PDB file of all heavy atoms in Angstrom:
ATOM      1  N   HIS A 123      -1.237  -1.728 -15.880  1.00  0.00           N
ATOM      2  CA  HIS A 123      -2.626  -2.110 -16.160  1.00  0.00           C
ATOM      3  C   HIS A 123      -2.963  -1.827 -17.629  1.00  0.00           C
ATOM      4  O   HIS A 123      -2.477  -0.848 -18.216  1.00  0.00           O
ATOM      5  CB  HIS A 123      -3.570  -1.320 -15.252  1.00  0.00           C
ATOM      6  CG  HIS A 123      -4.968  -1.845 -15.208  1.00  0.00           C
ATOM      7  ND1 HIS A 123      -5.907  -1.536 -16.180  1.00  0.00           N
ATOM      8  CD2 HIS A 123      -5.584  -2.663 -14.322  1.00  0.00           C
ATOM      9  CE1 HIS A 123      -7.038  -2.137 -15.885  1.00  0.00           C
ATOM     10  NE2 HIS A 123      -6.881  -2.832 -14.771  1.00  0.00           N
ATOM     11  N   PRO A 124      -3.800  -2.676 -18.230  1.00  0.00           N
ATOM     12  CA  PRO A 124      -4.132  -2.457 -19.652  1.00  0.00           C
ATOM     13  C   PRO A 124      -4.759  -1.100 -19.944  1.00  0.00           C
ATOM     14  O   PRO A 124      -4.600  -0.570 -21.050  1.00  0.00           O
ATOM     15  CB  PRO A 124      -5.112  -3.603 -19.965  1.00  0.00           C
ATOM     16  CG  PRO A 124      -5.535  -4.168 -18.647  1.00  0.00           C
ATOM     17  CD  PRO A 124      -4.397  -3.922 -17.717  1.00  0.00           C
ATOM     18  N   MET A 125      -5.460  -0.516 -18.968  1.00  0.00           N
ATOM     19  CA  MET A 125      -6.054   0.802 -19.199  1.00  0.00           C
ATOM     20  C   MET A 125      -4.995   1.893 -19.300  1.00  0.00           C
ATOM     21  O   MET A 125      -5.280   2.994 -19.769  1.00  0.00           O
ATOM     22  CB  MET A 125      -7.045   1.129 -18.082  1.00  0.00           C
ATOM     23  CG  MET A 125      -8.291   0.270 -18.088  1.00  0.00           C
ATOM     24  SD  MET A 125      -9.507   0.760 -16.843  1.00  0.00           S
ATOM     25  CE  MET A 125     -10.011   2.363 -17.490  1.00  0.00           C
ATOM     26  N   GLN A 126      -3.762   1.586 -18.886  1.00  0.00           N
ATOM     27  CA  GLN A 126      -2.676   2.557 -18.975  1.00  0.00           C
ATOM     28  C   GLN A 126      -1.752   2.284 -20.160  1.00  0.00           C
ATOM     29  O   GLN A 126      -0.808   3.031 -20.397  1.00  0.00           O
ATOM     30  CB  GLN A 126      -1.850   2.518 -17.678  1.00  0.00           C
ATOM     31  CG  GLN A 126      -2.632   2.807 -16.422  1.00  0.00           C
ATOM     32  CD  GLN A 126      -3.270   4.186 -16.450  1.00  0.00           C
ATOM     33  OE1 GLN A 126      -2.610   5.176 -16.789  1.00  0.00           O
ATOM     34  NE2 GLN A 126      -4.545   4.256 -16.090  1.00  0.00           N
ATOM     35  N   ASN A 127      -2.022   1.186 -20.866  1.00  0.00           N
ATOM     36  CA  ASN A 127      -1.087   0.773 -21.912  1.00  0.00           C
ATOM     37  C   ASN A 127      -1.797   0.348 -23.196  1.00  0.00           C
ATOM     38  O   ASN A 127      -1.428  -0.632 -23.827  1.00  0.00           O
ATOM     39  CB  ASN A 127      -0.218  -0.384 -21.393  1.00  0.00           C
ATOM     40  CG  ASN A 127       0.660   0.037 -20.238  1.00  0.00           C
ATOM     41  OD1 ASN A 127       1.695   0.680 -20.425  1.00  0.00           O
ATOM     42  ND2 ASN A 127       0.243  -0.316 -19.025  1.00  0.00           N
ATOM     43  N   GLY A 128      -2.846   1.097 -23.537  1.00  0.00           N
ATOM     44  CA  GLY A 128      -3.536   0.835 -24.788  1.00  0.00           C
ATOM     45  C   GLY A 128      -4.129  -0.550 -24.904  1.00  0.00           C
ATOM     46  O   GLY A 128      -4.193  -1.117 -25.999  1.00  0.00           O
ATOM     47  N   GLY A 129      -4.522  -1.125 -23.780  1.00  0.00           N
ATOM     48  CA  GLY A 129      -5.127  -2.450 -23.789  1.00  0.00           C
ATOM     49  C   GLY A 129      -4.161  -3.587 -23.511  1.00  0.00           C
ATOM     50  O   GLY A 129      -4.586  -4.723 -23.289  1.00  0.00           O
ATOM     51  N   ALA A 130      -2.854  -3.314 -23.511  1.00  0.00           N
ATOM     52  CA  ALA A 130      -1.853  -4.356 -23.239  1.00  0.00           C
ATOM     53  C   ALA A 130      -1.724  -4.562 -21.733  1.00  0.00           C
ATOM     54  O   ALA A 130      -1.421  -3.614 -20.995  1.00  0.00           O
ATOM     55  CB  ALA A 130      -0.515  -3.974 -23.842  1.00  0.00           C
ATOM     56  N   ASP A 131      -1.941  -5.790 -21.267  1.00  0.00           N
ATOM     57  CA  ASP A 131      -1.832  -6.109 -19.840  1.00  0.00           C
ATOM     58  C   ASP A 131      -0.418  -6.598 -19.561  1.00  0.00           C
ATOM     59  O   ASP A 131      -0.031  -7.695 -19.974  1.00  0.00           O
ATOM     60  CB  ASP A 131      -2.850  -7.182 -19.463  1.00  0.00           C
ATOM     61  CG  ASP A 131      -3.011  -7.328 -17.958  1.00  0.00           C
ATOM     62  OD1 ASP A 131      -2.082  -6.931 -17.220  1.00  0.00           O
ATOM     63  OD2 ASP A 131      -4.054  -7.847 -17.513  1.00  0.00           O
ATOM     64  N   LEU A 132       0.356  -5.776 -18.856  1.00  0.00           N
ATOM     65  CA  LEU A 132       1.764  -6.080 -18.591  1.00  0.00           C
ATOM     66  C   LEU A 132       1.993  -6.564 -17.164  1.00  0.00           C
ATOM     67  O   LEU A 132       3.140  -6.734 -16.742  1.00  0.00           O
ATOM     68  CB  LEU A 132       2.617  -4.831 -18.856  1.00  0.00           C
ATOM     69  CG  LEU A 132       2.438  -4.165 -20.218  1.00  0.00           C
ATOM     70  CD1 LEU A 132       3.270  -2.885 -20.301  1.00  0.00           C
ATOM     71  CD2 LEU A 132       2.809  -5.118 -21.342  1.00  0.00           C
ATOM     72  N   ARG A 133       0.926  -6.814 -16.419  1.00  0.00           N
ATOM     73  CA  ARG A 133       1.058  -7.113 -14.997  1.00  0.00           C
ATOM     74  C   ARG A 133       1.741  -8.440 -14.697  1.00  0.00           C
ATOM     75  O   ARG A 133       2.154  -8.674 -13.559  1.00  0.00           O
ATOM     76  CB  ARG A 133      -0.327  -7.064 -14.331  1.00  0.00           C
ATOM     77  CG  ARG A 133      -0.893  -5.668 -14.214  1.00  0.00           C
ATOM     78  CD  ARG A 133      -2.302  -5.668 -13.625  1.00  0.00           C
ATOM     79  NE  ARG A 133      -3.254  -6.269 -14.550  1.00  0.00           N
ATOM     80  CZ  ARG A 133      -4.551  -6.432 -14.261  1.00  0.00           C
ATOM     81  NH1 ARG A 133      -5.011  -6.075 -13.078  1.00  0.00           N
ATOM     82  NH2 ARG A 133      -5.367  -6.967 -15.156  1.00  0.00           N
ATOM     83  N   ASP A 134       1.889  -9.300 -15.672  1.00  0.00           N
ATOM     84  CA  ASP A 134       2.533 -10.591 -15.421  1.00  0.00           C
ATOM     85  C   ASP A 134       4.012 -10.438 -15.072  1.00  0.00           C
ATOM     86  O   ASP A 134       4.613 -11.367 -14.509  1.00  0.00           O
ATOM     87  CB  ASP A 134       2.378 -11.513 -16.636  1.00  0.00           C
ATOM     88  CG  ASP A 134       2.916 -10.902 -17.911  1.00  0.00           C
ATOM     89  OD1 ASP A 134       2.349  -9.882 -18.354  1.00  0.00           O
ATOM     90  OD2 ASP A 134       3.896 -11.440 -18.462  1.00  0.00           O
ATOM     91  N   VAL A 135       4.600  -9.271 -15.351  1.00  0.00           N
ATOM     92  CA  VAL A 135       6.016  -9.077 -15.015  1.00  0.00           C
ATOM     93  C   VAL A 135       6.192  -8.552 -13.597  1.00  0.00           C
ATOM     94  O   VAL A 135       7.322  -8.477 -13.102  1.00  0.00           O
ATOM     95  CB  VAL A 135       6.708  -8.102 -16.001  1.00  0.00           C
ATOM     96  CG1 VAL A 135       6.523  -8.561 -17.441  1.00  0.00           C
ATOM     97  CG2 VAL A 135       6.195  -6.677 -15.829  1.00  0.00           C
ATOM     98  N   SER A 136       5.107  -8.222 -12.928  1.00  0.00           N
ATOM     99  CA  SER A 136       5.201  -7.679 -11.569  1.00  0.00           C
ATOM    100  C   SER A 136       5.469  -8.784 -10.563  1.00  0.00           C
ATOM    101  O   SER A 136       5.349  -9.973 -10.857  1.00  0.00           O
ATOM    102  CB  SER A 136       3.907  -6.953 -11.187  1.00  0.00           C
ATOM    103  OG  SER A 136       2.832  -7.870 -11.085  1.00  0.00           O
ATOM    104  N   PHE A 137       5.812  -8.405  -9.362  1.00  0.00           N
ATOM    105  CA  PHE A 137       6.166  -9.362  -8.303  1.00  0.00           C
ATOM    106  C   PHE A 137       5.023 -10.320  -8.006  1.00  0.00           C
ATOM    107  O   PHE A 137       5.229 -11.528  -7.864  1.00  0.00           O
ATOM    108  CB  PHE A 137       6.556  -8.593  -7.041  1.00  0.00           C
ATOM    109  CG  PHE A 137       6.930  -9.463  -5.879  1.00  0.00           C
ATOM    110  CD1 PHE A 137       8.191 -10.025  -5.789  1.00  0.00           C
ATOM    111  CD2 PHE A 137       6.017  -9.729  -4.868  1.00  0.00           C
ATOM    112  CE1 PHE A 137       8.536 -10.838  -4.714  1.00  0.00           C
ATOM    113  CE2 PHE A 137       6.349 -10.536  -3.794  1.00  0.00           C
ATOM    114  CZ  PHE A 137       7.617 -11.096  -3.720  1.00  0.00           C
ATOM    115  N   TYR A 138       3.796  -9.803  -7.909  1.00  0.00           N
ATOM    116  CA  TYR A 138       2.651 -10.635  -7.571  1.00  0.00           C
ATOM    117  C   TYR A 138       1.984 -11.282  -8.783  1.00  0.00           C
ATOM    118  O   TYR A 138       1.246 -12.257  -8.647  1.00  0.00           O
ATOM    119  CB  TYR A 138       1.613  -9.814  -6.799  1.00  0.00           C
ATOM    120  CG  TYR A 138       2.060  -9.439  -5.406  1.00  0.00           C
ATOM    121  CD1 TYR A 138       2.279  -8.113  -5.056  1.00  0.00           C
ATOM    122  CD2 TYR A 138       2.273 -10.416  -4.442  1.00  0.00           C
ATOM    123  CE1 TYR A 138       2.699  -7.775  -3.779  1.00  0.00           C
ATOM    124  CE2 TYR A 138       2.685 -10.086  -3.162  1.00  0.00           C
ATOM    125  CZ  TYR A 138       2.899  -8.762  -2.836  1.00  0.00           C
ATOM    126  OH  TYR A 138       3.315  -8.432  -1.572  1.00  0.00           O
ATOM    127  N   GLY A 139       2.228 -10.729  -9.961  1.00  0.00           N
ATOM    128  CA  GLY A 139       1.655 -11.306 -11.172  1.00  0.00           C
ATOM    129  C   GLY A 139       0.253 -10.812 -11.462  1.00  0.00           C
ATOM    130  O   GLY A 139      -0.433 -10.267 -10.608  1.00  0.00           O
ATOM    131  N   ARG A 140      -0.189 -11.027 -12.703  1.00  0.00           N
ATOM    132  CA  ARG A 140      -1.462 -10.492 -13.152  1.00  0.00           C
ATOM    133  C   ARG A 140      -2.639 -11.097 -12.402  1.00  0.00           C
ATOM    134  O   ARG A 140      -3.551 -10.391 -11.984  1.00  0.00           O
ATOM    135  CB  ARG A 140      -1.639 -10.754 -14.660  1.00  0.00           C
ATOM    136  CG  ARG A 140      -2.915 -10.126 -15.222  1.00  0.00           C
ATOM    137  CD  ARG A 140      -3.294 -10.726 -16.557  1.00  0.00           C
ATOM    138  NE  ARG A 140      -3.607 -12.133 -16.429  1.00  0.00           N
ATOM    139  CZ  ARG A 140      -4.775 -12.592 -15.947  1.00  0.00           C
ATOM    140  NH1 ARG A 140      -5.717 -11.738 -15.548  1.00  0.00           N
ATOM    141  NH2 ARG A 140      -4.995 -13.869 -15.850  1.00  0.00           N
ATOM    142  N   GLU A 141      -2.635 -12.391 -12.212  1.00  0.00           N
ATOM    143  CA  GLU A 141      -3.794 -13.060 -11.618  1.00  0.00           C
ATOM    144  C   GLU A 141      -4.053 -12.579 -10.195  1.00  0.00           C
ATOM    145  O   GLU A 141      -5.193 -12.282  -9.833  1.00  0.00           O
ATOM    146  CB  GLU A 141      -3.601 -14.576 -11.634  1.00  0.00           C
ATOM    147  CG  GLU A 141      -4.830 -15.339 -11.157  1.00  0.00           C
ATOM    148  CD  GLU A 141      -4.676 -16.838 -11.318  1.00  0.00           C
ATOM    149  OE1 GLU A 141      -3.725 -17.277 -12.004  1.00  0.00           O
ATOM    150  OE2 GLU A 141      -5.509 -17.574 -10.747  1.00  0.00           O
ATOM    151  N   LEU A 142      -3.002 -12.492  -9.375  1.00  0.00           N
ATOM    152  CA  LEU A 142      -3.181 -12.053  -7.998  1.00  0.00           C
ATOM    153  C   LEU A 142      -3.567 -10.579  -7.944  1.00  0.00           C
ATOM    154  O   LEU A 142      -4.471 -10.195  -7.189  1.00  0.00           O
ATOM    155  CB  LEU A 142      -1.903 -12.293  -7.190  1.00  0.00           C
ATOM    156  CG  LEU A 142      -1.986 -11.969  -5.700  1.00  0.00           C
ATOM    157  CD1 LEU A 142      -3.081 -12.794  -5.037  1.00  0.00           C
ATOM    158  CD2 LEU A 142      -0.651 -12.223  -5.019  1.00  0.00           C
ATOM    159  N   CYS A 143      -2.916  -9.761  -8.744  1.00  0.00           N
ATOM    160  CA  CYS A 143      -3.232  -8.331  -8.749  1.00  0.00           C
ATOM    161  C   CYS A 143      -4.683  -8.095  -9.186  1.00  0.00           C
ATOM    162  O   CYS A 143      -5.369  -7.212  -8.654  1.00  0.00           O
ATOM    163  CB  CYS A 143      -2.288  -7.576  -9.675  1.00  0.00           C
ATOM    164  SG  CYS A 143      -0.595  -7.441  -9.054  1.00  0.00           S
ATOM    165  N   ASP A 144      -5.136  -8.873 -10.139  1.00  0.00           N
ATOM    166  CA  ASP A 144      -6.473  -8.687 -10.688  1.00  0.00           C
ATOM    167  C   ASP A 144      -7.559  -9.182  -9.742  1.00  0.00           C
ATOM    168  O   ASP A 144      -8.664  -8.631  -9.711  1.00  0.00           O
ATOM    169  CB  ASP A 144      -6.585  -9.423 -12.023  1.00  0.00           C
ATOM    170  CG  ASP A 144      -7.843  -9.054 -12.789  1.00  0.00           C
ATOM    171  OD1 ASP A 144      -8.161  -7.854 -12.869  1.00  0.00           O
ATOM    172  OD2 ASP A 144      -8.514  -9.967 -13.298  1.00  0.00           O
ATOM    173  N   GLY A 145      -7.244 -10.197  -8.929  1.00  0.00           N
ATOM    174  CA  GLY A 145      -8.288 -10.824  -8.120  1.00  0.00           C
ATOM    175  C   GLY A 145      -8.225 -10.562  -6.634  1.00  0.00           C
ATOM    176  O   GLY A 145      -9.064 -11.072  -5.882  1.00  0.00           O
ATOM    177  N   HIS A 146      -7.279  -9.750  -6.182  1.00  0.00           N
ATOM    178  CA  HIS A 146      -7.123  -9.532  -4.739  1.00  0.00           C
ATOM    179  C   HIS A 146      -8.062  -8.443  -4.231  1.00  0.00           C
ATOM    180  O   HIS A 146      -8.155  -7.367  -4.807  1.00  0.00           O
ATOM    181  CB  HIS A 146      -5.679  -9.131  -4.418  1.00  0.00           C
ATOM    182  CG  HIS A 146      -5.480  -8.755  -2.984  1.00  0.00           C
ATOM    183  ND1 HIS A 146      -5.483  -9.678  -1.965  1.00  0.00           N
ATOM    184  CD2 HIS A 146      -5.289  -7.551  -2.394  1.00  0.00           C
ATOM    185  CE1 HIS A 146      -5.298  -9.069  -0.816  1.00  0.00           C
ATOM    186  NE2 HIS A 146      -5.179  -7.781  -1.053  1.00  0.00           N
ATOM    187  N   PHE A 147      -8.745  -8.745  -3.127  1.00  0.00           N
ATOM    188  CA  PHE A 147      -9.580  -7.752  -2.455  1.00  0.00           C
ATOM    189  C   PHE A 147      -9.209  -7.740  -0.973  1.00  0.00           C
ATOM    190  O   PHE A 147      -9.256  -8.784  -0.315  1.00  0.00           O
ATOM    191  CB  PHE A 147     -11.072  -8.074  -2.629  1.00  0.00           C
ATOM    192  CG  PHE A 147     -11.521  -8.030  -4.060  1.00  0.00           C
ATOM    193  CD1 PHE A 147     -11.746  -9.198  -4.778  1.00  0.00           C
ATOM    194  CD2 PHE A 147     -11.702  -6.812  -4.693  1.00  0.00           C
ATOM    195  CE1 PHE A 147     -12.149  -9.152  -6.104  1.00  0.00           C
ATOM    196  CE2 PHE A 147     -12.097  -6.759  -6.026  1.00  0.00           C
ATOM    197  CZ  PHE A 147     -12.326  -7.922  -6.724  1.00  0.00           C
ATOM    198  N   CYS A 148      -8.843  -6.581  -0.479  1.00  0.00           N
ATOM    199  CA  CYS A 148      -8.374  -6.472   0.904  1.00  0.00           C
ATOM    200  C   CYS A 148      -9.524  -6.692   1.886  1.00  0.00           C
ATOM    201  O   CYS A 148     -10.704  -6.670   1.499  1.00  0.00           O
ATOM    202  CB  CYS A 148      -7.729  -5.106   1.121  1.00  0.00           C
ATOM    203  SG  CYS A 148      -8.912  -3.732   1.177  1.00  0.00           S
TER     204      CYS A 148
END
Side-chain angles (χ1 to χ4, degrees):
H123 194 278
M125 292 185 67
Q126 302 300 313
N127 296 282
D131 193 338
L132 307 176
R133 289 177 292 178
D134 56 295
V135 306
S136 67
F137 180 80
Y138 290 115
R140 184 197 64 78
E141 186 174 348
L142 184 59
C143 289
D144 191 45
H146 174 72
F147 297 104
C148 72

